Amino acid sequence: MSSMTAKIEPLGAVRERVLATLRQDIIAGRLRPGDRLVERELAERFGVSRVPVREAIRALVAEGFVLFESARRTVVRRLTPTDVKELFELREALEVYAAGLAATRATPQALAELRELLDSAAEATRSDDAEAITDVNTRFHDRILALAGNSLLISVMEPVDGRLRWLTRQNEEWPQLLTEHEELYEAIASGDPDRARAHALSHVQANYRSTVRHLFGDQLG
């Protein structure tokens, strides 16, 4: 009996597993805006009870990925122009600041690690692997936040990190994105905070325009 009990996955761990999988399904586009999340179907898919599924869905609502259209209908959110604008305004405020700090605080080892991420991004771009590109580009920006050496910056970005990854996935101009990251890296490596901030600002604004074009068409770009 004790060995069987030891194999039971704690409810909290089940919830986190379901949550992480559904979140990644949304970010990667396997679950698309407007798709329904049905507790019964998801419970069967994951081989779990409906309780952790229900809790995972509530967490996705809190994170901004999902909404309750009615008491019985839960769907993946459709990003609005306002959603995108507000998230990019946050990125502009925080990532530009972080880039300036990173330029003054990055060590040679930290810059080498950032360079390795760019090499991985280049490989993923050559392979046209959208999910890998999204993952490594997110880690690139996370690393710049870490290089800034300000834990409060990280804590402010954390609640919207998933939605920012979702937005990053919308921009499929991968070669241009890689070029912008290369330029941002060079600016940070130069040790010049003004140059780093300028490149970070240019990058965020270009990424905003690309994302808007992809989601809403040129009329909003």
Side-chain angles (χ1 to χ4, degrees):
M1 179 67 70
S2 61
S3 61
M4 291 179 62
T5 303
K7 294 179 182 179
I8 296 175
E9 192 175 9
L11 181 61
V14 175
R15 170 192 173 277
E16 288 304 313
R17 175 166 60 85
V18 173
L19 173 60
T21 302
L22 291 177
R23 184 193 295 119
Q24 186 56 33
D25 283 349
I26 294 170
I27 290 170
R30 290 185 288 271
L31 282 171
R32 303 185 64 80
D35 285 354
R36 288 190 67 187
L37 298 182
V38 181
E39 283 184 16
R40 173 181 50 78
E41 294 175 357
L42 292 173
E44 291 175 0
R45 170 188 168 185
F46 289 103
V48 300
S49 73
R50 292 171 68 165
V51 173
V53 171
R54 187 176 304 124
E55 292 179 352
I57 289 174
R58 286 174 179 164
L60 289 170
V61 171
E63 291 179 10
F65 288 105
V66 168
L67 58 83
F68 296 121
E69 284 193 337
S70 68
R72 296 193 175 188
R73 184 177 177 84
T74 307
V75 300
V76 178
R77 281 187 62 180
R78 293 178 174 86
L79 288 166
T80 68
T82 298
D83 291 331
V84 176
K85 184 173 184 290
E86 289 180 349
L87 283 165
F88 271 96
E89 284 175 345
L90 181 63
R91 275 194 64 185
E92 183 176 311
L94 299 182
E95 291 189 9
V96 170
Y97 180 60
L101 290 177
T104 63
R105 297 176 178 177
T107 64
Q109 180 180 346
L111 290 171
E113 292 169 357
L114 204 59
R115 179 70 256 177
E116 287 178 7
L117 287 173
L118 277 178
D119 292 341
S120 297
E123 182 178 346
T125 301
R126 285 192 295 271
S127 303
D128 201 30
D129 186 339
E131 196 160 347
I133 291 168
T134 301
D135 177 67
V136 73
N137 284 344
T138 299
R139 287 191 286 134
F140 177 80
H141 282 286
D142 287 347
R143 189 65 189 137
I144 292 174
L145 283 175
L147 294 184
N150 187 314
S151 60
L152 189 57
L153 265 179
I154 296 172
S155 67
V156 170
M157 291 291 281
E158 191 171 6
V160 296
D161 181 65
R163 274 180 288 171
L164 289 173
R165 287 181 57 126
W166 194 15
L167 280 183
T168 299
R169 179 64 181 83
Q170 308 308 313
N171 179 4
E172 297 184 349
E173 298 175 13
W174 307 128
Q176 177 61 29
L177 199 59
L178 179 62
T179 297
E180 291 169 15
H181 283 174
E182 292 274 4
E183 293 172 350
L184 179 56
Y185 165 80
E186 294 294 341
I188 291 172
S190 75
D192 182 343
D194 290 334
R195 179 182 171 190
R197 284 191 290 267
H199 277 280
L201 178 60
S202 175
H203 170 53
V204 172
Q205 291 177 341
N207 197 205
Y208 172 69
R209 291 190 295 271
S210 298
T211 301
V212 166
R213 280 196 300 272
H214 178 75
L215 288 174
F216 311 115
D218 288 334
Q219 70 272 16
L220 292 179

